[in-house]
């Protein structure tokens, strides 16, 4: 990467993440852009250290070759996380700063929920981080705020429409939707033609509609109990999980129960992550289904007339944000959908731009959220279907700590000291836990990619334990298994991983294979995924059966499946560690993100609005008012 490489001065023991981040002066973002041969007309700087990369770069580079495409997943994690983001960043620092490869890291944008909650930020850690760390974790370029605004505009449009339909006749409603201009002429706005086409009405002027057509056009006739769209905010607020709206006297008794989700759980976030262009995003936002009519027909954002306005609010959010690692290698940060609810991957447009910018022989490393049973599975079956991109290598991050837990070790609880078993050598526990790693390897290999295992080394890990993991990974079919110390040493500690990943990419011999074809029924697709978890069967609640029937009838049966499941086990039971099998997977409900383009079954109990713990991270976060620097971010 030439002149942008920055040699780190590492110290031991490793200081706090924010102290490391603050000790390095980032390069001006124009230097990072120059190294990628990005011309100034293809990016808009946001201050000194970040910039929005414009989609126009894709048009200019359309004919150039893509680089190698690498996805980073993990084994089933402990609540402490196993360093997947840190490994993603460390690998890229190794490729760019030590192996002289063109490389771009593609990461999700963190939500303020975990940043101020229990998990902390998501910029990586130690000497493998994205900087500036505070900007990465807080606000960034406002994409999540744009999603929040668009989501809540749509929520307001739903309740407003129900209110106005309840108080007006068909004719009155129609007259207000199509008011006369100054010359007394009525006309349809552009978005109204979408609804007219959907209804099979080909008339161009309002006065041509019959009374029956006026009713069909003007009255959406919401079934309030079918409304799936909720309001969002980007903090953890458990007391908004269920609320009642419409209690003001002006709302004339239009009271209904609804609730808030966290902003990153909004379907608009999933749309942003899966879109391929501005035109595609416009179509996806308009197709989002927010509820049904009393006749059982799906009602979309475009039916409400708001699809265009949502796109206007999202027009800048579609551009990925360029940042840098501690060692000056480039990073594209974009989108941040929930990994256990939505598909947990950064955006298609960021990956596409990155693959063109690195070119032939370069590397794009993108992270998939949580364990490979969730993040990598959704990366392959949802993201790669919509992007048309094919990865050559999948990295699976493992830690001795997590493997000991899967081997029967004591419970690991965030905020509590680790049990003695995790701090002393216990090869038997590690070997027993490798069943979890082995299943992730075989599942991931089935997609036709080479699998490299990255063992994220902690100071308490012994040589014998580390060798046991390497041996287990290779016997399970991994292309290679490498010990990494990037947290303590930066890119230098992941050079062996970089070499292994390069070899894995160069030696790919198979095409990408999906887990299921799209023309299978919804149930058959759910069952194919359940089988990969180790389930012997699937049990559907009455509500799930009803929803599957409705989505199939509405014509949504050919969409891919996005399982909403705990990240702490292959099964629905977070306490079932290792590689459980023979269990029956319970599907309690089935929902749909039609604009994003997937059906999501809910396995067990999944919350879309996290709560704050007794002692949230915000206790440690403050501002040094002398220097203006953020302190206490983790």
């Amino acid at each position: 990467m030439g002149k942008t490489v920055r040699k780190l001065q590492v110290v031991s023991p490793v200081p706090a993440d924010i102290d490391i981040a603050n000790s390095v002066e980032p390069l001006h973002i124009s230097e990072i852009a120059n190294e990628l041969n990005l011309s100034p007309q293809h990016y808009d700087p946001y201050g000194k250290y970040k910039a929005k990369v414009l989609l126009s770069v894709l048009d200019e580079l359309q004919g150039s070759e893509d680089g190698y495409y690498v996805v980073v997943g993990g084994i089933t994690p402990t609540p402490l996380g196993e360093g997947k983001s840190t490994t993603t960043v460390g690998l890229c620092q190794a490729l760019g700063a030590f192996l002289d490869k063109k490389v771009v890291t593609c990461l999700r944008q963190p939500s303020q929920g975990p940043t101020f909650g229990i998990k902390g930020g998501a910029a990586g850690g130690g000497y493998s981080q994205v900087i500036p760390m505070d900007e990465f974790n807080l606000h960034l370029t406002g994409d999540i705020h744009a999603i929040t605004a668009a989501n809540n505009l749509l929520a307001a449009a739903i309740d407003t429409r129900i209110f106005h339909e309840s108080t007006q006749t068909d004719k009155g409603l129609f007259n207000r939707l199509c008011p006369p201009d100054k010359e007394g002429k009525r006309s349809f706005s552009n978005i109204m033609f979408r609804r007219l086409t959907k209804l099979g009405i080909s008339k161009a002027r309002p006065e041509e509609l019959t009374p029956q057509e006026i009713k069909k056009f003007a009255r959406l006739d919401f079934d309030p109990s079918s409304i799936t769209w909720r309001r969002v905010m980007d903090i953890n607020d458990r007391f908004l999980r269920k609320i009642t709206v419409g209690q003001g006297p002006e709302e004339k008794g239009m009271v209904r129960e609804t609730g808030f989700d966290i902003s990153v759980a909004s379907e608009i976030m999933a749309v942003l992550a899966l879109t391929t262009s501005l035109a595609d995003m416009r179509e996806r936002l308009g197709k989002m289904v927010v509820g049904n009519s009393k006749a059982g027909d799906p009602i979309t954002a475009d039916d409400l007339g708001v699809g265009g306005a949502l796109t206007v609010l999202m027009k800048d959010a579609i551009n990925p944000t360029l940042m840098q690692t501690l060692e000056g290698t480039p990073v594209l940060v974009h989108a941040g959908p929930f990994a256990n609810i939505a598909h947990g991957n950064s955006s298609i447009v960021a990956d596409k731009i990155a693959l063109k910018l690195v070119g032939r022989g370069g590397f794009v490393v993108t992270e998939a959220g949580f364990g490979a049973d969730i993040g990598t599975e959704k990366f392959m079956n949802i993201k790669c279907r919509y992007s048309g991109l094919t990865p050559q290598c999948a990295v699976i991050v493992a830690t001795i700590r997590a493997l000991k837990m899967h081997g029967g070790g004591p419970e690991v609880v965030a905020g509590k000291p680790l049990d003695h078993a995790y701090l002393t050598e216990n090869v038997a526990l590690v070997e027993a836990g490798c069943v979890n790693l082995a299943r992730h390897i075989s599942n991931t290999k089935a997609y036709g990619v080479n699998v490299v295992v990255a063992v994220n080394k902690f100071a308490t890990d012994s040589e014998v334990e580390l060798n046991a993991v390497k041996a287990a990974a290779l016997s399970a079919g991994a292309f290679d298994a490498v010990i990494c110390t990037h947290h303590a040493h930066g890119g230098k500690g992941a050079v062996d991983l970089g070499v292994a990943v390069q070899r894995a990419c160069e030696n790919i011999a198979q095409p990408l294979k999906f887990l299921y074809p799209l023309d299978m029924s919804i149930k058959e697709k759910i069952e194919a995924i359940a089988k990969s978890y180790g389930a012997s069967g699937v049990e559907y609640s009455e509500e799930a059966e009803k929803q599957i029937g409705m989505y199939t009838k509405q014509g949504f049966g050919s969409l891919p499946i996005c399982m909403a499941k705990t990240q702490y086990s292959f099964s629905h039971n977070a306490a079932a560690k290792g590689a459980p099998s023979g269990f029956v997977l319970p599907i309690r409900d089935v929902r749909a993100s039609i604009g994003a383009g997937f059906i999501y079954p809910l396995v067990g109990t999944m919350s879309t609005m996290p709560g704050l713990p007794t002692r949230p991270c915000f206790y440690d976060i403050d501002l040094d008012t002398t220097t203006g620097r953020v302190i206490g971010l983790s």
Side-chain angles (χ1 to χ4, degrees):
M1 293 294 291
K3 65 178 184 295
T4 61
V5 168
R6 185 196 295 108
K7 293 300 176 201
L8 289 174
Q9 303 296 314
V10 304
V11 297
S12 182
V14 179
D17 290 351
I18 188 70
D19 294 336
I20 294 172
N22 284 340
S23 73
V24 174
E25 181 64 31
L27 297 159
H28 195 281
I29 200 63
S30 61
E31 291 186 57
I32 305 296
N34 289 343
E35 284 302 305
L36 287 171
N37 297 320
L38 265 176
S39 58
Q41 78 258 29
H42 289 317
Y43 67 91
D44 289 337
Y46 272 62
K48 296 180 196 171
Y49 307 127
K50 54 190 190 289
K52 280 283 197 179
V53 180
L54 307 178
L55 299 195
S56 56
V57 75
L58 279 175
D59 299 327
E60 191 159 299
L61 297 174
Q62 201 172 8
S64 45
E65 283 191 61
D66 286 355
Y68 291 120
Y69 194 29
V70 181
V71 60
V72 178
I75 63 169
T76 306
T78 69
L80 307 178
E82 310 319 307
K84 211 161 52 282
S85 302
T86 308
T87 302
T88 303
V89 175
L91 167 59
C92 291
Q93 290 180 170
L95 287 165
F98 290 87
L99 297 171
D100 203 29
K101 302 293 178 189
K102 263 202 151 180
V103 63
V104 174
T105 316
C106 289
L107 291 175
R108 287 180 294 162
Q109 181 186 345
S111 162
Q112 288 176 182
T115 297
F116 291 115
I118 196 165
K119 200 175 174 207
Y127 288 100
S128 294
Q129 290 188 58
V130 179
I131 55 172
M133 178 197 178
D134 56 338
E135 293 184 29
F136 181 88
N137 284 306
L138 305 168
H139 304 302
L140 199 61
T141 48
D143 293 355
I144 294 179
H145 301 320
I147 287 163
T148 304
N151 184 101
N152 293 343
L153 174 62
L154 181 48
I158 294 166
D159 286 312
T160 298
R161 186 58 173 265
I162 294 171
F163 171 77
H164 287 306
E165 286 193 20
S166 73
T167 57
Q168 296 177 48
T169 63
D170 297 340
K171 191 177 177 185
L173 198 57
F174 183 69
N175 288 343
R176 285 180 175 86
L177 287 169
C178 302
D181 61 17
K182 286 177 184 174
E183 295 167 9
K185 290 183 180 174
R186 294 182 186 277
S187 62
F188 293 118
S189 64
N190 285 337
I191 200 168
M192 289 176 172
F193 286 109
R194 291 174 179 250
R195 176 153 177 82
L196 289 164
T197 302
K198 177 180 172 179
L199 295 171
I201 300 169
S202 56
K203 294 168 181 175
R205 295 200 302 275
E207 58 269 22
E208 294 175 346
L209 268 62
T210 66
Q212 289 80 9
E213 288 170 337
I214 284 172
K215 182 173 184 171
K216 273 171 73 178
F217 169 78
R219 196 165 290 284
L220 300 181
D221 201 27
F222 268 101
D223 172 3
S225 69
S226 75
I227 296 169
T228 51
W229 200 261
R230 290 152 61 92
R231 287 158 174 82
V232 299
M233 59 177 9
D234 195 37
I235 54 169
N236 296 352
D237 192 342
R238 67 175 72 240
F239 278 84
L240 290 178
R241 287 172 181 166
K242 188 179 261 195
I243 61 165
T244 306
V245 293
Q247 292 194 333
E250 298 85 359
E251 277 62 65
K252 302 177 183 173
M254 301 291 298
V255 175
R256 72 177 184 92
E257 272 192 0
T258 180
F260 273 75
D261 296 331
I262 195 162
S263 295
V264 290
S266 170
E267 184 178 349
I268 296 176
M269 175 62 91
V271 165
L272 178 66
L274 288 170
T275 196
T276 52
S277 68
L278 196 57
D280 178 63
M281 184 172 75
R282 168 65 188 89
E283 292 309 308
R284 286 175 180 271
L285 291 172
K287 284 196 302 191
M288 293 188 304
V289 172
V290 297
N292 297 325
S293 69
K294 287 170 186 159
D297 298 317
I299 300 170
T300 66
D302 271 349
D303 288 328
L304 280 157
V306 75
L310 301 182
T311 311
V312 169
L313 286 170
M314 293 293 293
K315 72 179 176 62
D316 296 321
I318 197 173
N319 301 313
T321 301
L322 181 66
M323 295 187 76
Q324 63 192 284
T325 67
L326 284 168
E327 295 185 75
T329 62
V331 180
L332 283 177
V333 184
H334 202 210
F338 255 26
N340 49 4
I341 305 288
H343 70 291
N345 282 260
S346 65
S347 77
I348 286 173
V349 291
D351 290 0
K352 284 193 162 189
I353 289 170
L355 286 163
K356 294 296 182 194
L357 289 174
V358 300
R360 185 176 183 180
F363 291 83
V364 171
V365 183
T366 190
E367 180 204 6
F370 290 134
D373 57 317
I374 295 180
T376 306
E377 183 269 309
K378 293 171 182 179
F379 171 85
M380 300 291 185
N381 291 307
I382 300 174
K383 185 175 178 181
C384 288
R385 275 190 211 269
Y386 286 123
S387 70
L389 299 172
T390 300
Q392 288 78 38
C393 172
V395 175
I396 295 178
V397 179
T399 60
I400 299 294
R401 174 178 72 196
L403 291 167
K404 283 181 175 177
M405 179 189 72
H406 288 296
E411 191 181 0
V412 176
V413 181
K416 288 189 181 175
L418 281 170
D419 188 273
H420 183 67
Y422 296 105
L423 307 173
T424 53
E425 184 176 284
N426 190 327
V427 181
L429 259 191
V430 174
E431 287 177 337
C434 281
V435 294
N436 184 272
L437 173 61
R439 184 177 288 171
H440 282 297
I441 292 169
S442 61
N443 279 0
T444 306
K445 268 187 75 178
Y447 295 108
V449 296
N450 285 328
V451 174
V452 173
V453 173
V455 186
N456 187 14
K457 185 181 182 216
F458 288 33
T460 50
D461 301 341
S462 78
E463 203 71 26
V464 189
E465 288 173 330
L466 294 165
N467 286 335
V469 180
K470 281 179 74 172
L474 293 171
S475 73
F479 181 87
D480 206 346
V482 184
I483 312 302
C484 307
T485 60
H486 45 277
H487 184 272
H489 303 119
K492 187 179 178 183
V495 168
D496 290 347
L497 177 61
V499 171
V501 165
Q502 183 177 348
R503 283 181 48 245
C505 287
E506 291 168 350
N507 287 282
I508 191 69
Q510 299 179 65
L512 179 62
K513 290 179 263 188
F514 297 121
L515 187 58
Y516 51 81
L518 290 180
D519 58 7
M520 272 184 166
S521 70
I522 291 174
K523 279 191 174 181
E524 285 170 327
K525 286 181 280 202
I526 291 170
E527 282 148 26
I529 298 170
K531 193 176 174 186
S532 77
Y533 298 156
S536 58
V538 178
E539 186 178 84
Y540 301 91
S541 71
E542 197 178 320
E543 182 61 22
E545 292 274 11
K546 184 179 127 194
Q547 293 298 106
I548 289 169
M550 183 184 72
Y551 293 136
T552 305
K553 184 182 166 192
Q554 290 177 341
F556 304 135
S558 61
L559 291 173
I561 300 296
C562 183
M563 296 287 247
K565 176 182 82 72
T566 177
Q567 65 269 33
Y568 295 124
S569 172
F570 271 110
S571 76
H572 56 287
N573 175 11
K577 305 303 181 188
S581 60
F583 56 91
V584 175
L585 195 74
I587 306 295
R588 73 174 170 90
D589 198 1
V590 178
R591 296 179 192 165
S593 290
I594 303 304
F598 54 73
I599 302 284
Y600 66 103
L602 274 68
V603 182
T605 54
M606 294 303 304
S607 175
T608 49
M609 172 56 94
L612 289 169
T614 308
R615 192 194 185 283
C617 292
F618 62 60
Y619 272 87
D620 302 310
I621 297 169
D622 212 327
L623 194 72
D624 182 328
T625 53
T626 308
T627 64
R629 280 192 156 164
V630 174
I631 52 177
L633 273 176
S634 59

